[in-house]
Amino acid sequence: MKREASLLEVQNLTTYYELPRGYVKAAENINFNVKVGEALGLAGESGCGKTTVALSIVRLLPPEGRIMGGKCLFKGVDIVKLPEEEVRKKIRWKGISIVFQGAMNALNPVYRIGDQIVEAITTHEDVSEEEAIKRAEKLFELVGIDPSRLDNYPFEFSGGMRQRALIAMALACNPDLIIADEPGTALDVIVQAQVLKLLKSLKEKLNLAVIMISHDLSMIAETCDKIAIMYAGRIVEYGDIVKVFKRSLHPYTQGLIGAFPSIKGPRMRMISIPGSPPNLLNPPPGCRFHPRCKYAMDICRKEVPEFIEIEPEHWVACHLVSKK
Amino acid sequence: MAKDIIIAKNLKKWFPLRTGLLSSILKKEQFFVHAVDGISFNIKKGEIFALAGESGSGKTTTGRLLVRLIEPTDGVIIYDGKDITKLSQKEFMPYRKKLQIIFQDPYESLNPRMLIYDIIAEPLTIHGFSEKEKEERVFKALEDVRLVPPQEFIFRFPHELSGGQRQRVAIARALVLNPEFIVADEPVSMLDVSIRAEILNLMFELKEKYGMTILYITHDLALARHICDSIAIMYLGKIMEMGSVDEVINEPLHPYTEALIEAVPVPDPEASRIETVLKGEIPSPVNPPSGCRFHTRCPKYIGDICKAKEPKLTEISKGRYVACHLYSSK
């Protein structure tokens, strides 16, 4: 990996979930970096490990989650090795914020939205309640909600507004990086476009770095600078977004892109990838995609392909490619 | 020239709003959710007709009205030339075989306590088929949806199958009575992206094989564009625009259609981005805006006429309809 000013550098991160019957190998040897003000799309379907990676970074894994190895360097400091107190005081909300999937439904229904944001601010920073309220008002303006609506309860907000309120909350302590897990799910197309536009403008105005987790490649294509495609716990392709889209090398990436019909351009037959993702308690040996890959060779069944930089800013893990 | 297999005329469905006991005593008015508020359209035999719109547009309600899962408040449904709107449940029974529905959620639409065989055989049981006929048809349906060998699936429970397999079971269940018309309500939106095409291609092949007609309900315009023949765009219970999918998507006329298309993200990082996004949110269907329902958000608002008078869905060229004052001839 290039040693430039990376805000977040994930190196060989491996996270498993410990169950009575064994380890679920949810994420293995994850490598990527995010620079200041950069947007990375973490793409993949359900069960590929993208949320596990996000939770590992902010150390919010459930009790069964274990970071088995690797580093998450945030401004040079390894989050994985920090004590919980430090993570809570210095990293969460202030350094890295996370907007969970479907969080708009997880807002506490019996408290006003304003109170929830103020609580977030006063818990993590030494400011008075008045100060916090003023900040909350500014945040609402930033995300395009009338500040007077801080007094509303969550049920008085529509889905799109709740999503924006959550983004406001995530920005409450001026983080450098925001992780948005499926920010468009359960939102209508137009509202989704509004939220994406908001994220893009926040990225510009605040020089905010973003990790956008999504199964929707179109959404990632619209907003991100880089993309990492995950399959069955591993990154199969990673790099500059234009390079990955225009010259996708991994068969899974190609299949995934082919599964997203475009509203523009000529009508095409949609591609699908037969089969389904493997059970991560007992993943297949070698390349985890080989059971579904039409190009699978013998070596694919035996050896895990190496993550190779095939051209500047474009990495792929595939025996087909490394052979050349 | 294919004939119209379904004609809907001024179809309405208003749901009474439930209020608390006190309010029902004190308030004299009854409020309604205007879910479907007077829509008319024709579906040709053999086509895949998309009913597209955002949440609250009335598309799911319309689908259920057509198969009479719920009864219309007003309007007429004509199936294959016959008015089926007011038929009694008994008179309607033979039509239930011809009109089937596939739901969105493969995790909710199959009874978790029934074996796959029983789930698919249930419609046959209701319509009085013999055990032998049931067995034949269930096996055939499983083969049609490529859950083979059938013996491997018939004794399983839904929880033992993946989402994609469950949806195939839902399709098999819909096929088993040899229907002519199927309402598919967002059948792939809850499935993983990489297997959606498989299910859609399967549905398309079966449609061709059995000469069926499909009403495809979706919020995903990009998908509709690739698999459907005609499309109707709904907003707050009304149809805003209708026509062949190529015309409507490539040359949208209604400002709402334009806004919807512009909002759809494109899987191409180099595509030029439109910077304007429609503002605001969908108004409440309990109290829809006066005149044209879209006037509160319309970027091409002309003036008082949009607020005062509801534009009629007018045929402005063959098969092409739009409800907008921008296009009404004076």
Side-chain angles (χ1 to χ4, degrees):
Chain A
M1 302 284 145
K2 280 209 185 112
R3 291 249 170 269
E4 280 178 342
S6 286
L7 182 63
L8 175 73
E9 224 180 291
V10 175
Q11 291 174 359
N12 291 322
L13 178 67
T14 299
T15 303
Y16 291 175
Y17 290 104
E18 188 175 346
L19 296 185
R21 43 209 164 118
Y23 285 102
V24 176
K25 300 162 185 70
E28 257 187 26
N29 288 324
I30 304 294
N31 286 282
F32 62 80
N33 68 34
V34 184
K35 299 190 182 48
V36 172
E38 194 176 47
L40 165 76
L42 200 50
E45 300 172 285
S46 48
C48 72
K50 43 194 201 299
T51 300
T52 301
V53 169
L55 295 178
S56 303
I57 294 172
V58 291
R59 297 264 302 269
L60 281 175
L61 289 165
E64 321 80 68
R66 311 246 175 287
I67 298 180
M68 307 296 281
K71 298 182 181 174
C72 291
L73 297 166
F74 182 66
K75 294 191 201 171
V77 175
D78 188 3
I79 303 177
V80 173
K81 301 254 175 357
L82 283 181
E84 171 61 27
E85 264 305 289
E86 297 275 304
V87 180
R88 193 173 66 74
K89 279 199 191 136
K90 298 205 182 126
I91 306 288
R92 284 191 214 123
W93 293 95
K94 296 172 83 161
I96 306 177
S97 250
I98 181 165
V99 180
F100 296 101
Q101 188 172 6
M104 56 234 244
N105 297 320
L107 277 168
N108 193 325
V110 300
Y111 286 94
R112 297 178 200 271
I113 295 199
D115 292 337
Q116 298 185 52
I117 300 185
V118 165
E119 183 183 29
I121 299 174
T122 53
T123 310
H124 290 90
E125 296 203 5
D126 206 0
V127 292
S128 68
E129 200 174 302
E130 273 132 18
E131 196 30 65
I133 295 176
K134 279 212 190 82
R135 265 216 247 175
E137 284 170 359
K138 280 221 170 61
L139 286 166
F140 259 33
E141 273 170 18
L142 195 60
V143 301
I145 306 178
D146 188 343
S148 66
R149 301 200 66 172
L150 277 169
D151 285 334
N152 283 153
Y153 286 93
F155 73 82
E156 297 178 88
F157 271 25
S158 67
M161 289 179 78
R162 274 182 266 162
Q163 188 71 309
R164 278 187 276 157
L166 276 162
I167 292 172
M169 210 189 297
L171 295 172
C173 303
N174 301 317
D176 302 292
L177 168 71
I178 187 172
I179 301 178
D181 195 346
E182 301 279 9
T185 310
L187 294 179
D188 279 325
V189 177
I190 291 185
V191 177
Q192 188 181 284
Q194 290 170 343
V195 170
L196 287 185
K197 189 169 175 215
L198 172 65
L199 283 172
K200 274 198 274 195
S201 82
L202 289 172
K203 188 179 154 235
E204 249 127 79
K205 266 195 222 161
L206 308 174
N207 211 17
L208 187 66
V210 179
I211 294 180
M212 184 183 294
I213 297 176
S214 182
H215 66 275
D216 189 334
L217 287 189
S218 310
M219 261 179 54
I220 293 182
E222 288 251 323
T223 34
C224 300
D225 308 300
K226 292 213 291 245
I227 183 169
I229 314 262
M230 281 188 73
Y231 181 80
R234 298 203 182 127
I235 296 185
V236 298
E237 196 156 358
Y238 163 66
D240 168 73
I241 196 146
V242 175
K243 290 187 181 166
V244 173
F245 265 88
K246 292 295 170 187
R247 223 195 129 198
S248 53
L249 295 164
H250 197 284
Y252 178 65
T253 312
Q254 293 165 352
L256 202 60
I257 293 179
F260 278 94
S262 177
I263 198 164
K264 306 203 186 326
R267 275 223 233 179
M268 275 180 347
R269 190 176 159 84
M270 282 166 64
I271 312 176
S272 73
I273 308 174
S276 50
N279 179 340
L280 295 180
L281 257 173
N282 222 348
C287 170
R288 291 184 179 177
F289 186 62
H290 83 249
R292 296 171 80 185
C293 185
K294 55 182 170 179
Y295 305 109
M297 309 177 285
D298 249 351
I299 188 175
C300 305
R301 295 177 196 123
K302 302 195 190 122
E303 269 178 49
V304 177
E306 257 184 82
F307 207 46
I308 301 179
E309 190 168 8
I310 207 79
E311 55 173 339
E313 291 184 298
H314 189 177
W315 284 260
V316 71
C318 179
H319 290 301
L320 257 182
V321 172
S322 43
K323 272 200 150 206
K324 292 182 189 148
Chain B
M1 174 69 179
K3 64 166 178 185
D4 293 328
I5 192 166
I6 290 240
I7 300 177
K9 285 192 190 155
N10 208 28
L11 205 52
K12 279 192 192 162
K13 181 65 185 174
W14 287 14
F15 292 101
L17 205 58
R18 281 174 235 277
T19 49
L21 182 61
L22 199 59
S23 334
S24 3
I25 297 174
L26 295 178
K27 280 205 186 100
K28 305 226 171 88
E29 273 182 277
Q30 168 71 24
F31 289 107
F32 292 92
V33 174
H34 297 230
V36 177
D37 214 357
I39 59 170
S40 306
F41 56 90
N42 301 9
I43 302 179
K44 293 193 179 48
K45 185 162 159 58
E47 78 170 331
I48 302 184
F49 187 98
L51 200 51
E54 299 178 283
S55 43
S57 59
K59 53 194 198 296
T60 294
T61 309
T62 304
R64 291 175 186 211
L65 283 170
L66 290 183
V67 298
R68 281 190 57 192
L69 260 184
I70 49 180
E71 300 298 340
T73 311
D74 200 1
V76 165
I77 305 166
I78 297 174
Y79 180 76
D80 209 4
K82 172 115 194 227
D83 184 341
I84 59 167
T85 333
K86 297 229 164 35
L87 294 179
S88 69
Q89 289 299 324
K90 195 157 168 228
E91 287 169 322
F92 190 63
M93 269 296 253
Y95 286 95
R96 290 216 181 274
K97 287 196 261 185
K98 304 191 198 203
L99 302 159
Q100 287 290 314
I101 183 164
I102 298 167
F103 298 100
Q104 176 178 10
D105 191 342
Y107 300 91
E108 295 270 309
S109 65
L110 304 180
N111 188 327
R113 305 177 76 195
M114 286 170 75
L115 293 170
I116 299 300
Y117 181 87
D118 295 324
I119 290 173
I120 302 175
E122 195 176 20
L124 298 165
T125 312
I126 294 172
H127 286 268
F129 284 77
S130 71
E131 287 307 316
K132 185 164 186 298
E133 273 177 309
K134 279 200 269 184
E135 199 180 301
E136 273 170 24
R137 285 191 180 220
V138 170
F139 271 61
K140 178 147 192 298
L142 282 168
E143 275 161 16
D144 271 338
V145 301
R146 305 209 196 107
L147 283 178
V148 287
Q151 295 85 339
E152 256 192 50
F153 292 93
I154 51 174
F155 295 118
R156 294 207 202 160
F157 286 99
H159 72 262
E160 296 176 77
L161 305 183
S162 69
Q165 288 172 325
R166 271 187 250 215
Q167 205 60 316
R168 287 174 194 262
V169 171
I171 296 172
R173 179 176 61 183
L175 286 179
V176 96
L177 287 169
N178 293 339
E180 293 170 357
F181 179 75
I182 296 191
V183 171
D185 191 351
E186 308 231 40
V188 297
S189 64
M190 295 192 70
L191 301 178
D192 267 336
V193 170
S194 63
I195 59 166
R196 284 181 194 180
E198 212 171 285
I199 303 291
L200 289 172
N201 290 331
L202 173 68
M203 283 176 65
F204 187 80
E205 277 164 34
L206 292 168
K207 174 206 85 120
E208 296 277 289
K209 183 174 176 190
Y210 294 114
M212 300 185 290
T213 309
I214 298 184
L215 175 72
Y216 194 88
I217 299 173
T218 183
H219 64 274
D220 187 336
L221 281 185
L223 199 77
R225 180 171 184 268
H226 285 268
I227 60 171
C228 301
D229 305 304
S230 313
I231 186 167
I233 309 273
M234 284 186 75
Y235 183 79
L236 267 189
K238 292 267 185 187
I239 293 180
M240 298 280 126
E241 186 163 1
M242 194 160 66
S244 83
V245 93
D246 283 325
E247 283 176 325
V248 173
I249 304 278
N250 295 336
E251 287 158 17
L253 296 170
H254 198 288
Y256 177 61
T257 315
E258 280 175 358
L260 258 187
I261 292 170
E262 272 168 39
V264 175
V266 172
D268 180 356
E270 286 179 314
S272 59
R273 307 277 172 234
I274 316 279
E275 284 317 311
T276 49
V277 178
L278 197 63
K279 289 194 173 40
E281 313 239 347
I282 303 174
S284 160
V286 178
N287 209 358
S290 60
C292 169
R293 306 213 163 180
F294 189 59
H295 85 254
T296 54
R297 302 165 79 191
C298 186
K300 296 193 175 155
Y301 180 82
I302 305 176
D304 282 340
I305 186 173
C306 297
K307 202 152 91 175
K309 189 167 169 223
E310 195 184 309
K312 277 200 170 54
L313 188 65
T314 325
E315 189 168 14
I316 58 157
S317 64
K318 187 135 183 33
R320 191 86 161 81
Y321 298 78
V322 69
C324 179
H325 291 301
L326 279 172
Y327 302 96
S328 18
S329 47
K330 287 278 170 187

